[in-house]
Amino acid sequence: MSQYHSVRFVDVRLEGDFWKERLDTVLAKTIPSQHKKLAEYGLLDSLKLPNPPPPLRFPRHPNGFTVQVFWDSDVGKWIEAASYALSHRRDADIEAKIEAIVDDFEKAQLPDGYLNCWYLGREPEKRWSNMRDNHELYNAGHMLEGAIAYFETTGRRRWLDIMERYVEHIRQTFGTGPGQKRGYCGHQEIEIALIKLYHLTKEKKHLDLAAYFINERGNQPPHYFDVEREERIKKGWEMQRYAQSNYEYSQSHKPVREQDKVVGHAVRAMYMYTAMADLAVELNDAGLRKACETLWDDVMVTKMYVTAGLGPSEHNEGFTYDYDLPNQTAYAETCASVALIFWAQRMLHLDLDGKYADILELALFNGALSGLSRDGEHYFYMNPLESNGSANRWDWHTCPCCTMNVSRLVASVGGYFVSTAPDGIAFHLYGGISSNLDVGGTAVAVRETSNYPWSGAISISVDPATPKAFDLKLRVPGWCKRATAKVNGETITLSPSKGYATIHRTWSKGDTITLDLPMPAERMFANPAVIMDVGRVALKRGPLVYCVEEADNPGGRVQRLKLSRQSEIVVGENRDAVLGGLVTLTASGKAIDESDWSGLYRTAPPREAAATLTAVPYYLWANRGKGSMVVWVPEA
Amino acid sequence: MSQYHSVRFVDVRLEGDFWKERLDTVLAKTIPSQHKKLAEYGLLDSLKLPNPPPPLRFPRHPNGFTVQVFWDSDVGKWIEAASYALSHRRDADIEAKIEAIVDDFEKAQLPDGYLNCWYLGREPEKRWSNMRDNHELYNAGHMLEGAIAYFETTGRRRWLDIMERYVEHIRQTFGTGPGQKRGYCGHQEIEIALIKLYHLTKEKKHLDLAAYFINERGNQPPHYFDVEREERIKKGWEMQRYAQSNYEYSQSHKPVREQDKVVGHAVRAMYMYTAMADLAVELNDAGLRKACETLWDDVMVTKMYVTAGLGPSEHNEGFTYDYDLPNQTAYAETCASVALIFWAQRMLHLDLDGKYADILELALFNGALSGLSRDGEHYFYMNPLESNGSANRWDWHTCPCCTMNVSRLVASVGGYFVSTAPDGIAFHLYGGISSNLDVGGTAVAVRETSNYPWSGAISISVDPATPKAFDLKLRVPGWCKRATAKVNGETITLSPSKGYATIHRTWSKGDTITLDLPMPAERMFANPAVIMDVGRVALKRGPLVYCVEEADNPGGRVQRLKLSRQSEIVVGENRDAVLGGLVTLTASGKAIDESDWSGLYRTAPPREAAATLTAVPYYLWANRGKGSMVVWVPEA
């Protein structure tokens, strides 16, 4: 089968209402306000070497720990997000702000290429001494991704040149050669960035360095984190600050090809699997591919929330044990769902199977998108599936990773819609895009028009420069049971294989395909091994998981509501002052009467009355003030 | 109304099967095995000053923290438990072991009376410098309680003399006088011990010192913990080890009389309320009484598990917010339920109200007793109300507080059955005891015979030395709706007031009362504000809360089971190889079929089949190997 490759985000225009609204919000609100926060919280000052002003909002912790160790990454990620935004609409003010940051980085960089403002401003002699905890390569990765995005959008090389010098320094520092450190970063990320740099430059050395970091990880004895720790102890540098002697936390407990269970910090895991899948594609590495497939199955079968949230535990920001998916205390970090999208996209290019696109879409519309408020200036770091009303979106976070992860995702979402091969085009997502593609040397203009995800009525025009025979592969989502299609008005038989229906024909200018993906509301049930969800039901329509929120169901905590198994779920188009146009689901059930309770326990059952439940898409929750919310509703 | 006082544990003989079995186990297994553990884990070595051998099992933590800071208390609590046990059956071997410990303490004590082996063996110059974290007075309290119990059982004064010297040193060190420290302990406990010492010696200075610690607590500004912290910083002693800048953690956020919400570490809270209630009785202090009543209501109405477990959170080993009562992750430390028994007993003497006895009983038979295994050598520190099968009793703990709390409770349980006043006897608990009481100067032998808690058929004989008119107050538990009684075979009308039915008459030798407390199995429902328990039901019979355990319901996790609202709950007498004789409850319901599940989520509802659920008393859970357990069962 042909190898499909992603289409660069800059080559895809977002035209559908759903994503245009999100994109406009990110452009107009999120990107500028994030820069303000970076300034306000001292992240921008921290780049002003050699003597960065002390941060006002986060003074030095008495134990010596400061929160700045990963700040370079946040700045890098903001540049990345802003660059994606600029590809949609250039903005001189934003570009000036980026250039000012690049000025600082340029001044900060050492002659040997090293560039980490936390170390340079505080403990330059200790650089590369604590790979386990201090995020140096993680920072480098995010800075590099920012530099690549900025170059792709603007063509400006200065920031990319700085980062290429830094990468060269990293290459000399790490490796299996004499005098090199056999280390790797406690927080995976640079591997993804290096593969992007390889895609941009075609220089294989970048791919090799990414492969080195992946291949070296988890080798032992001795474990590199023990080796460097011994060094630190000798030098009196060991501070035990947020020590993680458990190597599963950073997925370095064994070589990556031997890993078959998803463990540890969820974002680190997802970033690593993304890079592994990337390398499996680029190097045709069967061992990495097998590991990716095994790990994928492990997540899907035992560890993912119905919203595609990942990592139930705050303790390790990650995974615990099979089927441990508590709702109210779900950690489900926004970054983890964003990173699951990255991984799913790479898996899709390893094997064009709709099961990967289904999860990409699920994570996009639920666990990831929930991280950004309607106003574009408030966030969720954690994405619980239930709230007693105390959860609240925040306007910044001591660890602001999720803020820029969700903005860079939205601003680059066009890059996930479509892939091309020398003999085909594959549509993964729908929602209104246009792009000029190259199919085996022929220019093909495509335009997909729809009101997706609210409606499954999709129209696609295919305009090759000259008539050309190729595969048009249309994803038929796993949730869609009765898809139909027409080509130029004539019904065709869809026979999806691995989630994609292939239409092979000679395409000519003006060809039009209509695809209808019926979207009935559905009840979802969880495997009874998820003990938290026994006796409960979730509502879903198309790719959207729904939740019951107090804003639509006033009168007390929504946990008092139960949904009747037999009730019809009514699909309704609505408009909310804050949420805008949306599809709501309503159904009948019961409401427990809380008014006759005084103490904690009693022998008389709670009184119940008939009630109507209204549900809205999960990603929209917590935009209308504080209030309770539940995804898994008890059944009446 | 007359003031009722507790009867000393040494004056009550346990004769009923239920408590005799527990007591025999504690005597024969728990007390000796705990001594072995104290030796094995280095706690006994830690008393061997001036150079205690380093502990083998818990080496020094790299941050300088060692677990020994509270070890004196564990040794003291073991002596206390052992002394209670000795009151039932003297044991030369145990007494020799206690004497050997007293030898060590005697050698360790400084001429000025100071006696804390952790400080004396490590940092003697730092004594009394960190009241917030280092448990010095907490240790002193438990040692004092041990000394009092040992004296009461054996009449031997040496250990008590040592502790009285230490108390004198403490009295000189702390107080409002010139040169005294205006401090108090971060972990309340010594207050209870000092009041016990007052009861023993009648010396008011001990009561005054307890009152000082209670009255001083939470006064600010300045907060004493800030004052001493500044001192430590000046001296370079501040280590920030497990810093708790949140004073709610130790209930020192405001003066105790102003506290109206139960907050912080659950055991600290309960020990403090116990002492407050004690002082309210002894000093007739209306402010303390009011605070106790307000705090009692707060626990009862918003913060107690149905098992009388307290403190949902592992994070602070304590309380969070109203109605936060998660089941699987319940912390519900054994010590907290034990301490709730202490508090309830004091409240009962402040106000003879059955609502306090109901909770005393509930905590005793559920949240506290669950902490000790059938074999007497395994424990629960945490007492969750649900397990996926991973929970396991342990044979020791890095913080072994709960082990000796449950053994001292069982060995002294006789002290909770009955109270006396100059003109009355009040029965709080039933289960088979006999005692020679003093009622206004008249000796009255009482014997209560029953198979409680399995049966509510109770017989009480009252034998005054000479005929005497007094109140016999019989507790009619809150769970009992149709109690009946006869005196010498003649039915009497029971008109319980505040949970006690008073029979006033002239009692003569041979008088017999029979009390029948019908014990139907009951369904319990939780206030819907406890969102975790919506749609769920718990089973209870008499004082016993039941649970559904995998051992009795094989075939997979018990979380697959649902209980039908209308099904009859059948009460059956049973015998289990491990659990012994017990009353089980069975009822019909449904079982979810787990066999047709492969992935995590699906649109088809789980298949269900009819099933019979068998429940056993909660306190007996986790004695038959690993297996899942649930208290709150989903309703079918």
Side-chain angles (χ1 to χ4, degrees), chain B residues 106-121:
Chain B
E106 191 170 43
K107 279 181 218 147
Q109 187 169 36
L110 294 191
D112 68 3
Y114 183 80
L115 177 52
N116 177 296
C117 294
W118 191 89
Y119 273 102
L120 290 173

Side-chain angles (χ1 to χ4, degrees), chain A residues 304 321 525 527 600-602, chain B residues 304 525 527 600-602:
Chain A
M304 188 182 72
Y321 50 87
F525 299 90
N527 188 317
L600 267 173
Y601 307 106
R602 72 183 194 193
Chain B
M304 188 183 71
F525 299 91
N527 188 318
L600 267 173
Y601 307 107
R602 72 182 195 195

Side-chain angles (χ1 to χ4, degrees), chain B residues 514-581:
Chain B
T514 57
L515 175 66
D516 191 50
L517 304 174
M519 283 185 179
E522 293 183 303
R523 285 177 164 80
M524 299 298 292
F525 299 91
N527 188 318
V530 184
I531 61 177
M532 304 77 177
D533 299 335
V534 169
R536 292 172 181 262
V537 62
L539 298 179
K540 190 161 177 270
R541 180 173 178 268
L544 296 171
V545 175
Y546 278 67
C547 69
V548 176
E549 239 199 329
E550 201 169 321
D552 305 298
N553 301 272
R557 275 173 297 268
V558 293
Q559 282 84 358
R560 78 193 189 286
L561 300 170
K562 298 180 180 183
L563 186 60
S564 304
R565 172 74 64 89
Q566 305 307 334
S567 70
E568 188 200 352
I569 305 168
V570 180
V571 177
E573 291 193 20
N574 280 282
R575 171 156 286 278
D576 177 274
V578 175
L579 308 182

Side-chain angles (χ1 to χ4, degrees), chain A residues 23 25 32 56 91 111 122 141 159 161 180 230 289 348 356-357 370 377 464-465 470 474 533 565-566 575 605:
Chain A
L23 183 64
T25 300
L56 294 176
D91 183 317
R122 286 152 194 84
W159 178 215
D161 288 342
Q180 286 185 301
E230 289 304 314
R289 178 180 176 143
L348 208 46
Y356 300 121
S370 61
E377 299 185 0
F470 60 87
L474 301 176
D533 299 337
R565 173 74 64 89
Q566 304 307 333
R575 171 156 287 278

Side-chain angles (χ1 to χ4, degrees), chain A residues 396-566:
Chain A
W396 197 245
H397 200 279
T398 50
C399 172
C401 52
C402 295
T403 58
M404 268 77 70
N405 240 338
V406 73
S407 58
R408 70 174 175 148
L409 174 73
V410 170
S412 65
V413 73
Y416 297 92
F417 276 68
V418 62
S419 297
T420 56
D423 59 354
I425 298 172
F427 270 89
H428 312 304
L429 298 177
Y430 307 102
I433 56 118
S434 68
S435 187
N436 295 310
L437 305 174
D438 179 304
V439 181
T442 302
V444 182
V446 296
R447 164 163 286 147
E448 179 266 318
T449 311
S450 67
N451 194 25
Y452 199 91
W454 306 121
S455 154
I458 294 152
S459 167
I460 298 172
S461 68
V462 177
D463 289 321
T466 57
K468 162 113 183 155
F470 60 87
D471 288 343
L472 184 69
K473 288 178 174 285
L474 301 176
R475 171 170 160 259
V476 178
W479 49 260
C480 184
K481 302 294 180 291
R482 291 188 305 275
T484 57
K486 293 178 182 175
V487 175
N488 297 329
E490 270 183 49
T491 299
I492 59 164
T493 305
L494 281 180
S495 312
S497 166
K498 288 171 77 176
Y500 285 82
T502 303
I503 308 174
H504 183 87
R505 54 174 278 156
T506 299
W507 299 95
S508 309
K509 210 165 177 59
D511 281 342
T512 304
I513 305 99
T514 57
L515 175 65
D516 190 50
L517 303 174
M519 283 186 181
E522 292 184 303
R523 285 179 165 80
M524 300 297 292
F525 299 90
N527 188 317
V530 184
I531 61 178
M532 304 78 177
D533 299 337
V534 169
R536 291 172 180 263
V537 62
L539 298 179
K540 189 161 178 269
R541 180 174 178 268
L544 296 171
V545 175
Y546 277 67
C547 69
V548 175
E549 238 196 331
E550 201 169 321
D552 306 297
N553 301 272
R557 275 174 297 268
V558 293
Q559 282 83 358
R560 79 192 188 287
L561 301 170
K562 298 180 180 184
L563 186 60
S564 303
R565 173 74 64 89
Q566 304 307 333

Side-chain angles (χ1 to χ4, degrees), chain B residues 321-567:
Chain B
Y321 50 86
D322 289 357
Y323 306 111
D324 182 35
L325 296 165
N327 292 307
Q328 200 190 345
T329 58
Y331 199 70
E333 185 179 337
T334 302
C335 285
S337 290
V338 169
L340 175 59
I341 294 169
F342 301 159
W343 185 24
Q345 188 200 33
R346 271 63 167 190
M347 293 305 287
L348 208 46
H349 293 137
L350 197 52
D351 179 8
L352 191 73
D353 189 327
K355 73 180 183 184
Y356 301 121
D358 284 350
I359 295 302
L360 191 163
E361 183 180 72
L362 186 75
L364 179 62
F365 282 108
N366 301 283
L369 210 50
S370 61
L372 183 64
S373 67
R374 291 308 290 165
D375 69 9
E377 298 185 358
H378 293 81
Y379 309 89
F380 272 133
Y381 191 103
M382 291 175 272
N383 293 276
L385 280 77
E386 176 167 6
S387 170
N388 64 0
S390 61
N392 212 10
R393 293 180 179 272
W394 34 269
D395 65 359
W396 198 245
H397 200 278
T398 50
C399 172
C401 53
C402 295
T403 59
M404 268 77 69
N405 240 339
V406 73
S407 58
R408 70 174 175 148
L409 175 71
V410 170
S412 65
V413 73
Y416 298 93
F417 276 69
V418 60
S419 296
T420 57
D423 58 354
I425 297 171
F427 270 89
H428 312 304
L429 298 178
Y430 307 102
I433 56 118
S434 69
S435 186
N436 295 310
L437 305 172
D438 180 303
V439 181
T442 301
V444 182
V446 296
R447 165 163 286 148
E448 180 266 316
T449 311
S450 68
N451 194 25
Y452 199 91
W454 305 121
S455 155
I458 294 153
S459 166
I460 299 172
S461 69
V462 178
D463 289 321
T466 55
K468 163 117 183 154
F470 60 86
D471 287 345
L472 184 69
K473 288 177 176 282
L474 301 177
R475 173 173 160 256
V476 177
W479 48 260
C480 184
K481 302 294 181 290
R482 290 188 307 273
T484 58
K486 292 178 184 176
V487 175
N488 297 329
E490 270 182 49
T491 300
I492 59 167
T493 304
L494 282 181
S495 312
S497 165
K498 289 172 75 177
Y500 285 82
T502 303
I503 308 174
H504 184 86
R505 52 175 281 156
T506 299
W507 298 96
S508 310
K509 207 164 180 60
D511 280 344
T512 305
I513 306 100
T514 57
L515 175 66
D516 191 50
L517 304 174
M519 283 185 179
E522 293 183 303
R523 285 177 164 80
M524 299 298 292
F525 299 91
N527 188 318
V530 184
I531 61 177
M532 304 77 177
D533 299 335
V534 169
R536 292 172 181 262
V537 62
L539 298 179
K540 190 161 177 270
R541 180 173 178 268
L544 296 171
V545 175
Y546 278 67
C547 69
V548 176
E549 239 199 329
E550 201 169 321
D552 305 298
N553 301 272
R557 275 173 297 268
V558 293
Q559 282 84 358
R560 78 193 189 286
L561 300 170
K562 298 180 180 183
L563 186 60
S564 304
R565 172 74 64 89
Q566 305 307 334
S567 70

